[in-house]
Amino acid sequence: SFTVRIASSGQSVTVAKDQSVVQALLAHGIEIMTSCEQGVCGTCVTRVLEGECEHRDLYFTDAEKAANDQFTPCCSRAKSAVLVLDL
Ligand code: FES
């Protein structure tokens, strides 16, 4: 598991192995708009302020993934222990 932190509120949410970031946030009342939930459409794209993303989408180019400043929380995860999201 890893933790996502909401930059605006400082709230931390643990993301379990068997849940997506979107699911974990929703369980804490934080809703992110989704559509495909498979990393294809880009609807859920969220800016990342700190931490290292583990990109699992087909939406971003390799260069965009390497920039490490946005990710798709419907399917992507974190390599670092904490990911700070611009929410
Ligand atoms: Fe389509 Fe996340 S909902 S990429």
Side-chain angles (χ1 to χ4, degrees):
S1 68
F2 57 95
T3 298
V4 290
R5 191 154 69 231
I6 309 303
S8 61
S9 66
Q11 186 179 0
S12 291
V13 172
T14 300
V15 183
K17 268 201 163 69
D18 63 347
Q19 74 185 161
S20 69
V21 174
V22 166
Q23 289 168 341
L25 290 174
L26 191 58
H28 288 79
I30 301 159
E31 196 171 354
I32 293 181
M33 290 264 289
T34 60
S35 180
C36 72
E37 300 194 355
Q38 293 177 353
V40 175
C41 71
T43 301
C44 66
V45 167
T46 301
R47 288 190 51 81
V48 174
L49 302 177
E50 277 178 51
E52 198 180 348
C53 307
E54 183 184 316
H55 296 288
R56 293 189 179 177
D57 63 275
L58 302 168
Y59 178 75
F60 291 126
T61 64
D62 287 347
E64 286 170 330
K65 287 177 181 174
N68 193 55
D69 61 357
Q70 50 187 349
F71 86 140
T72 56
C74 68
C75 61
S76 294
R77 308 186 69 79
K79 286 181 187 163
S80 52
V82 180
L83 215 51
V84 180
L85 305 182
D86 188 15
L87 292 173

